[in-house]
Amino acid sequence: MRRLLPVTDQTSASPQDPADREWSLDELAEAYAYPPLGPDAHWLRANMVSTLDGAAQHEGRSHPISGETDMRIFGTLRALADVVVVGAETVRQEGYRPARAREAFAARREAAGQGPAPAIAVVTASLDLDFSLPLFTSPLVPTLVVTGAAAPAGRVAEAVKAGAEVVVAGEGAGADPVRVVRELAERGLRRQLTEGGPRLLGQFVAADVLDELCLTISPTLTAGDAQRISGGPSVTVPHRLAAAGVLEEAGFLFTSYRRI
């Protein structure tokens, strides 16, 4: 992987760090490390991919606009998180499976007081999910279903029967994004990663609870009417983030922006 210096540290180049070599998983883990968190703090980062013309998907899925290094960073971000927060539609379309333990990150997770793998938290109002899938029947750590107090009781019961932990994070049928972040943090899941989809990310953006965006810019054009990475109503005032770093490989840009 060719390295472009992190924009916050442009004076730290080393002649022993050639720009054209591939980063190791340890180096990626350091580059994407969560900031130090106080005892009551939490951090929500998003990981998304977009084409040059703004499409977050091609034919309903993000995989066609991704690439090998993008998936490597995807795995690194997961390996650093306590919990992966995802919308139900993305679970259905992307065929989500349980997060797995990875030996390359085992010592790092143990030192951080984390379990062997992050939990998956599915945000849903209807609970229209297939609870017979491995995501619910055979996860390494129990999958969380995050919903509202008025969610369909029968579906809630099915989720519990399948082994999922139901987290109530709203008074209506759906979850309140502010409460989603808080409820997960109160369960010790403070290093949070959302992988969308666009509607869920839009809710987090609108609620101003997103701390960091890790955005892969894919060197592709798709045209069409695909969703952007963030959907839903626009915010009154655009949220300004600060550039934190960028990598490049095979025309892909791997960027990181953090809350100012």
Side-chain angles (χ1 to χ4, degrees):
M1 181 187 301
R2 293 189 299 276
R3 178 186 179 192
L4 299 183
L5 293 176
V7 296
T8 54
D9 188 21
Q10 295 189 12
T11 63
S12 63
S14 166
Q16 284 77 43
D17 191 13
D20 61 352
R21 71 173 177 83
E22 184 174 84
W23 275 24
S24 69
L25 289 178
D26 278 341
E27 287 174 310
L28 285 176
E30 290 296 330
Y32 286 98
Y34 281 83
L37 299 178
D40 299 319
H42 48 73
W43 189 268
L44 175 64
R45 70 166 28 143
N47 181 33
M48 302 292 284
V49 60
S50 171
T51 64
L52 294 173
D53 52 352
Q57 305 162 337
H58 182 62
E59 296 183 345
R61 300 181 66 240
S62 61
H63 185 75
I65 63 173
S66 182
E68 182 179 349
T69 302
D70 184 42
M71 295 309 298
R72 199 159 177 256
I73 292 175
F74 171 92
T76 299
L77 293 177
R78 278 195 163 200
L80 297 175
D82 297 325
V83 61
V84 177
V85 189
V86 63
E89 182 64 18
T90 298
V91 167
R92 290 188 289 265
Q93 291 195 1
E94 301 283 353
Y96 262 59
R97 300 183 64 83
R100 59 188 178 90
R102 298 183 61 188
E103 182 62 31
F105 297 96
R108 185 180 293 272
R109 290 188 64 87
E110 183 178 1
Q114 297 172 298
I120 304 292
V122 184
V123 181
T124 174
S126 67
L127 282 80
D128 181 16
L129 298 162
D130 184 351
F131 293 116
S132 68
L133 294 176
L135 179 61
F136 301 100
T137 61
S138 57
L140 194 59
V141 292
T143 294
L144 308 174
V145 173
V146 186
T147 190
R155 298 299 294 169
V156 170
E158 286 189 48
V160 173
K161 183 178 179 181
E165 177 183 347
V166 175
V167 177
V168 176
E171 298 306 317
D176 170 9
V178 175
R179 283 190 58 181
V180 170
V181 173
R182 187 175 69 239
E183 292 288 342
L184 293 175
E186 289 178 354
R187 286 164 171 77
L189 306 173
R190 302 190 298 136
R191 303 174 190 89
Q192 301 171 2
L193 170 67
T194 182
E195 296 170 349
R199 183 167 60 179
L200 179 62
L201 179 56
Q203 292 171 354
F204 284 138
V205 170
D208 197 20
V209 294
L210 186 70
D211 298 298
E212 180 180 2
L213 173 63
C214 296
L215 176 63
T216 295
I217 301 174
S218 170
T220 54
L221 296 167
T222 62
D225 56 359
Q227 290 180 294
R228 298 159 48 199
I229 65 166
S230 177
S234 63
V235 297
T236 304
V237 179
H239 298 171
R240 182 71 179 266
L241 303 180
V246 59
L247 307 174
E248 185 272 342
E249 192 272 334
F252 284 81
L253 294 180
F254 306 99
T255 70
S256 175
Y257 293 85
R258 289 187 171 185
R259 179 190 295 275
I260 297 173

